[in-house]
């Protein structure tokens, strides 16, 4: 019996009882109860059963009933349901449910049969989401700050998709503006053997790019358009490095959106930025003052109104933000999620005000997540860039799996310090090793079972009566709910923590229950059924690691 099955069974019991109670109490207001109102939670203390529910406490006042009495009425009916071993009422009205071994154990086969699909859910079905993260300037390598958002953003995109959302992950390429000219000046100076110009980009990587550009375009310095040519070729090379770094980090983007797209003039002589200003004006939130064009963002909680076009006719960065936001809506995205660094707090009100000025609901249609800083003990500054810690260096030092997992197992809004020595260790103190080892162990057990003649030709879930089996089944059946919760709360770290609990309970089960018979013992249906449970555990751990962008090794 899955949590969904139990919730449906309890819902079918609750509805008629609530209706009868309402009528008996003379209450005229309708008391609507949906299956979503029947929330099941796994008790921290397994002595309290497999599931707990507070539905009686939620409804008692609305039907004029005592919570415990109402809970007892629900319990008396629920205990008659096939698969329910016992139901108890505790405290002020909690309903504690214990499933019989067959009903609880049946989940093992459900998980194995579902395979990669187990954990996927439809809690966000119908939502169309654009999630933008990293979006670093294409003028240098990715650094440690980008690394955290790359891991979290990609993991969040995965749990959102797994929860039924129609989702596109997007990288906004800041390839317009003064930074690109500064980049070109820095490349040209390096090509000429001159010092980095004031305000330019330092670092050996600039020299490396300049050498590559010169090798490809030997007459670069003689060309009248040397600056433009250097900028475009170095830009393409650096963006290629960024793409490659992210691919090695197992981060995928569906769309790479160039800021230049917003500035480009169409056949009608206008750009997307021009059109954005006109559209905001139509919404009634644009005004002219002292020759400049403003957006009245204070109407939507911003601390000040924003200039969108200066008096000299030059658009501000806010203009590009506005055009980009509107473009996302034009592409069919109802909900937009922005993941920004710790130094971007000022963007929150600005972007939400922009959504309001565009006619959207700032509380519903846009979400801005701010990540806190991350540090790595003992990390060295990049030899190429000189003043940053590069993603490539961290990845080579710590490893993709350890780095992604460790960045994904903490909330984004908490400052984080990583210990590389721990993350490189092959001990249980290393969380990623602990979880991956559990997965490798499930594969080892399966291989040994095959050698001993244990297969999945029989399945007798009523035999899974050991206390460690009950606990392991309890955590496995929680996985789809954890994925849905991680998506709804935008907290992929919940998946990592759940995997660690799963690994812990699996190791305890492994120490207590044998899949392979001892010595000359015959193979029984208990061994075969335990193999189903072993493989179900491997499936959950593998699916969870995939949501975090981490590999699930079969041997370690």
């Amino acid at each position: 019996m899955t949590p969904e099955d139990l919730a449906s069974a309890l819902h079918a019991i609750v509805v008629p009882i609530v209706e009868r109670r309402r009528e008996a109490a003379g209450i005229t207001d309708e008391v609507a109860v949906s299956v979503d109102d029947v929330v099941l939670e796994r008790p921290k203390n397994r002595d309290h059963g497999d599931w707990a529910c507070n539905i009686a406490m939620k409804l008692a006042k609305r039907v004029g009933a005592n919570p415990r009495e109402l809970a007892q009425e629900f319990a008396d009916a629920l205990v008659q349901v096939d698969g329910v071993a016992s139901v108890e009422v505790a405290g002020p009205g909690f309903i504690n449910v214990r499933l019989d071994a067959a009903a609880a154990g049946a989940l093992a086969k459900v998980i194995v049969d579902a395979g990669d699909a187990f954990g996927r859910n439809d809690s966000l079905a119908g939502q169309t989401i654009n999630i933008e993260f990293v979006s670093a300037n294409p003028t240098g390598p990715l650094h440690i700050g980008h690394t955290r958002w790359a891991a979290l953003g990609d993991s969040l995109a995965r749990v959102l998709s797994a929860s039924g959302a129609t989702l596109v992950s997007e990288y906004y390429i800041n390839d317009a503006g003064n930074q690109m000219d500064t980049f070109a000046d820095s490349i040209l100076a390096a090509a000429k053997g001159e010092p980095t110009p004031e305000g330019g980009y330092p670092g050996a990587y600039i020299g490396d790019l300049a050498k590559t550009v010169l090798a490809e375009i030997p007459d670069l310095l003689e060309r009248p358009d040397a600056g433009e040519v250097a900028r475009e070729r170095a830009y393409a090379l650096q963006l290629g490095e960024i793409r490659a770094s992210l691919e090695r980090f197992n981060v995928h983007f569906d769309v790479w959106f160039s800021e230049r797209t917003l500035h480009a003039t169409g056949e009608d002589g206008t750009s997307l930025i021009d059109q954005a200003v006109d559209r905001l004006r139509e919404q009634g939130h644009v005004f002219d003052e002292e020759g400049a064009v403003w957006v009245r963002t204070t109407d939507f909680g911003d601390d000040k109104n924003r200039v969108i076009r200066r008096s000299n006719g030059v658009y501000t960065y806010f203009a590009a933000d506005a055009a980009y936001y509107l473009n996302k809506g034009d592409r069919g995205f109802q909900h937009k999620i922005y993941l920004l660094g710790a130094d971007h707090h000022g963007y929150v009100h600005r972007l939400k005000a922009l959504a309001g000025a565009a006619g959207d609901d700032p509380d519903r249609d846009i979400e801005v997540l701010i990540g806190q800083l991350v540090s790595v003990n003992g990390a060295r500054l990049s030899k190429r860039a000189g003043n940053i810690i590069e993603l490539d260096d961290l990845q080579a030092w710590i490893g993709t799996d350890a780095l992604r997992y460790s960045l994904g197992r903490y909330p984004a809004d908490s400052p984080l310090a990583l210990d590389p020595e721990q993350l490189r260790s092959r001990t249980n103190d290393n969380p990623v090793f602990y979880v991956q080892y559990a997965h490798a162990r499930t594969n080892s057990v399966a291989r040994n079972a095959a050698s001993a003649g244990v297969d999945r030709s029989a399945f007798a879930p009523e035999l899974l009566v050991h206390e460690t089996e009950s606990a392991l089944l309890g955590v496995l059946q929680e996985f789809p709910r954890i994925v849905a919760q991680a998506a709804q709360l935008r907290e992929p770290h919940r998946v990592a923590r759940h995997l660690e609990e799963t690994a812990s309970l699996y190791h305890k089960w492994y120490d207590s229950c044998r899949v392979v018979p001892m010595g000359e013992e015959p193979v029984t249906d208990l061994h075969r059924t335990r193999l189903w449970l072993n493989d179900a555990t491997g499936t959950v751990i593998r699916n969870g690691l995939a949501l975090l962008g981490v590999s699930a090794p079969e041997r370690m």
Side-chain angles (χ1 to χ4, degrees), residues 344-384:
H344 285 72
H345 278 281
Y347 276 77
V348 177
H349 290 305
R350 188 183 315 177
L351 288 171
K352 284 190 169 290
L354 176 55
D360 292 341
D361 184 343
D363 295 324
R364 182 195 63 201
D365 297 328
I366 185 170
E367 197 170 347
V368 185
L369 306 179
I370 299 294
Q372 292 301 314
L373 298 176
V374 58
S375 61
V376 180
N377 297 334
R380 297 178 180 177
L381 295 179
S382 164
K383 291 181 180 179
R384 295 191 319 133

Side-chain angles (χ1 to χ4, degrees), residues 145-221:
H146 304 132
T147 302
R148 186 173 197 181
W149 268 138
L152 283 171
D154 184 69
S155 296
L156 179 54
R158 291 171 188 241
V159 298
L160 291 170
S161 294
S163 297
T166 299
L167 180 131
V168 163
S169 59
E170 188 154 317
Y171 187 115
Y172 181 68
I173 310 170
N174 296 101
D175 54 5
N178 293 333
Q179 79 274 8
M180 297 305 296
D181 293 331
T182 302
F183 181 56
D185 292 342
S186 302
I187 296 294
L188 274 182
K192 296 173 181 177
E194 297 174 353
T196 302
E198 185 177 353
Y201 292 97
Y205 79 96
I206 291 290
D208 293 339
L209 287 172
K211 289 178 183 177
T212 302
V213 173
L214 276 174
E216 294 180 0
I217 312 169
D219 64 341
L220 172 68
L221 299 181

Side-chain angles (χ1 to χ4, degrees), residues 8-25:
S8 295
L10 183 52
H11 176 254
I13 289 168
V14 166
V15 170
I17 292 176
V18 164
E19 183 61 19
R20 188 179 69 250
R21 288 266 190 169
R22 182 186 68 82
E23 292 177 354

